[in-house]
Amino acid sequence: MPSVSPLRVPGRVQVLIAGGGPVGLAAAVELGRRGIDVLVVEPRATVSHARPRCKTLNVRTMEHLRRWGLAERLRARAPLPPSWSQDVVFCTSLSGRELSRFTGVLGLVPEGDRFPETGQQAPQYVLEEVLREAVEEIAPGRLVLGSKVVGVRQDAELVTVTVEDGTGRRSVVAADYVIGCDGPRSVVRDEIGARYVGGEALRPNFGMVFESPGLWEHVAHGPAVQYWVVNAAAPALVGPLDRTDTWWAIGFGVDRETGEREAQQIIDGVAGRPVRAKVLSTDPWTARMMTVDRMRDGRVFLAGDAAHLNPPFGGHGLNTGIGDAVDLGWKLASVLDGWGGPGVLDSYESERRPVQERVIREATANMRVLSTELYADDLDADDEAGARARRAAGVRIQESKKAEFHSLGLVLGLRIAESPIVPVAHSVRAGARLPHLFLADGRSLYDLLGAGLTLLALTEDAPVAAVEEAARLRGVPLTVVRLPEPVAAGYAAKLGARLVLVRPDQVVAWLGDEAAEDAVALIDTVGGGAPRPVHTFPERKQHV
């Protein structure tokens, strides 16, 4: 992967991103695809395969990857295709008794028109490698590896960033804006004086990645993306990283010292028998439930783990960070392109903080019942007492864990309740993700949306002229899409409107039947509140 020494970094860029993990890279792709000059500074020279961390890319993240033209590339690299398994199994061990299972989990199964992309199980390093490639393709030489941001200073006009390479040499870059995606130990967060607010779980956990040749021969429950092991010896969560020998595991209630010393015993407890295994990496951690007290200071913003932390149960953490990157990316691009006003950037925290807080609540609720809470006597017994214990455990598992694995209501159903760039909502659709639709030829409605705003005309006589003229006057790029009948009629009935204004992030900005009287005010609100000079964006119209 090409890299640039800090001594050769550009002296000025539009956006500098501190941190080239998945969130920082996603922000760079979102910005770079919009023609913004972006620079990513990342301390790691190579992507680490030792600690895969996130393994769940949810439906919403895959929709963004589709929009970037990267969904199929990522799926081709992922070791576990959705077709391999869509199950989560609860068992006394990999070779022991099955207690319960959930099928069709984590958005891995198509649901008609509900979404164009299923979720995908993939180690974090696969996503990072794909995104690194994409950044280099969009903006060669704008990914600085082996270096870190060590200082951030700003005034009303720009941000001055100090970058240090692995030898201690420093250089200075001026940027219009900076995004701190540099994780829990964020230098950017410290530099702007923001701090985490929240709590931390008391129980430690011990993560590891291990190789175990032949372990699949002992798995009694068939393929699954996760196995929750419920026993006294090794209450744990375990899953495959590939279809051969590599596995990840989390031992619940195990601290670093115990885990390092007894890793093989934990693996044997998970397997339900002694197995050959080699520990490849360890990752002790304690769950934290935190958000920063502020996500913005002037021209500097925070995203991803630099802005919020949540327990991993449900697989929402990285996906929430990708959502931050998309939201902030198109908004910064609109301002730098001249069509977004100050309200666009003001909306970042007001729109994202409720999402982050809800994810933290849901993930914390998921954490209340783990394998340690599900254990009971006789779960492995062959007699009637064992049967009763397993039935009782199965009931509790279904009652307490369903929301964790069937969470599309959270993933797709989040709605922006208050925002300076969403007009006063008169419909539950305003501020929510645009309902998806497949057209007769198999195309996704999302594939027709423009890079700026999109106006969907859902009846033949839908009055689009007022909105088109308002967008032209205010210099806002607008794509008009007319859907064919009878699809348009059904979709209009579903939304209760014949005009739908959609943001670049596939969120409904406004919908109604008439916009003639307030079209300019509408465009001003969605575009950030302040009139801007006239720009000449080419008009785009699509008749599908």
Side-chain angles (χ1 to χ4, degrees), residues 129-449:
E129 289 169 350
V130 168
L131 292 178
R132 280 192 179 192
E133 291 173 6
V135 172
E136 287 288 358
E137 291 165 1
I138 295 168
R142 288 302 198 244
L143 177 57
V144 178
L145 303 174
S147 301
K148 60 185 178 181
V149 169
V150 296
V152 178
R153 297 291 181 270
Q154 66 174 312
D155 56 30
E157 300 299 323
L158 56 81
V159 189
T160 303
V161 182
T162 303
V163 178
E164 181 180 280
D165 71 6
T167 70
R169 293 179 299 175
R170 294 187 172 188
S171 59
V172 174
V173 182
D176 292 293
Y177 297 97
V178 167
I179 309 176
C181 301
D182 46 346
R185 298 181 180 86
S186 171
V187 170
V188 176
R189 185 181 62 245
D190 291 344
E191 289 287 277
I192 67 173
R195 62 185 182 89
Y196 283 136
V197 177
E200 184 172 321
L202 298 177
R203 179 166 49 194
N205 303 287
F206 186 79
M208 66 175 128
V209 175
F210 64 94
E211 283 184 350
S212 183
L215 179 55
W216 277 114
E217 298 172 10
H218 304 299
V219 176
H221 318 292
V225 296
Q226 295 178 12
Y227 301 88
W228 289 70
V229 176
V230 182
N231 64 36
L237 174 58
V238 63
L241 283 175
D242 55 36
R243 285 173 281 180
T244 53
D245 301 327
T246 313
W247 297 74
W248 58 271
I250 299 171
F252 299 130
V254 178
D255 60 25
R256 175 188 294 271
E257 182 178 346
T258 301
E260 297 284 1
R261 185 176 63 249
E262 300 177 358
Q264 181 63 53
Q265 294 179 31
I266 295 171
I267 295 170
D268 289 346
V270 165
R273 64 181 63 209
V275 295
R276 289 188 300 134
K278 177 184 178 182
V279 177
L280 303 179
S281 66
T282 60
D283 185 22
W285 56 273
T286 302
R288 290 186 280 177
M289 297 74 76
M290 297 178 173
T291 57
V292 289
D293 55 357
R294 56 196 173 101
M295 296 168 61
R296 177 190 183 185
D297 180 46
R299 292 177 171 269
V300 181
F301 298 80
L302 300 174
D305 286 353
H308 49 87
L309 298 169
N310 60 265
F313 306 106
H316 301 299
L318 178 144
N319 295 288
T320 306
I322 298 293
D324 297 343
V326 169
D327 186 273
L328 184 55
W330 79 260
K331 290 172 179 177
L332 283 172
S334 75
V335 172
L336 290 166
D337 281 343
W339 64 269
V344 173
L345 298 186
D346 292 340
S347 73
Y348 172 62
E349 182 160 358
S350 63
E351 291 189 2
R352 291 306 298 169
R353 184 175 292 279
V355 173
Q356 297 159 4
E357 291 176 344
R358 182 174 171 189
V359 165
I360 289 173
R361 290 194 300 271
E362 296 282 346
T364 303
N366 293 339
M367 186 174 62
R368 293 192 183 109
V369 179
L370 303 179
S371 298
T372 42
E373 284 71 47
L374 293 169
Y375 177 71
D377 291 335
D378 299 320
L379 288 176
D380 260 323
D382 292 328
D383 55 15
E384 180 57 30
R388 286 196 303 271
R390 289 189 289 275
R391 284 195 297 269
V395 170
R396 187 177 183 198
I397 289 165
Q398 290 294 321
E399 290 176 346
S400 62
K401 303 301 282 183
K402 181 178 180 180
E404 183 168 343
F405 308 115
H406 294 284
S407 58
L408 286 177
L410 173 64
V411 172
L412 301 179
L414 292 168
R415 178 172 177 263
I416 298 165
E418 294 184 15
S419 170
I421 62 170
V422 176
V424 177
H426 61 278
S427 167
V428 295
R429 300 287 187 186
R433 167 182 168 272
L434 178 72
H436 180 255
L437 178 71
F438 280 117
L439 303 179
D441 59 7
R443 285 182 297 169
S444 164
L445 172 61
Y446 288 179
D447 296 342
L448 307 181
L449 305 180

Side-chain angles (χ1 to χ4, degrees), residues 486-500:
V487 170
Y491 198 63
K494 180 177 182 178
L495 272 65
R498 56 180 180 164
L499 291 174
V500 183

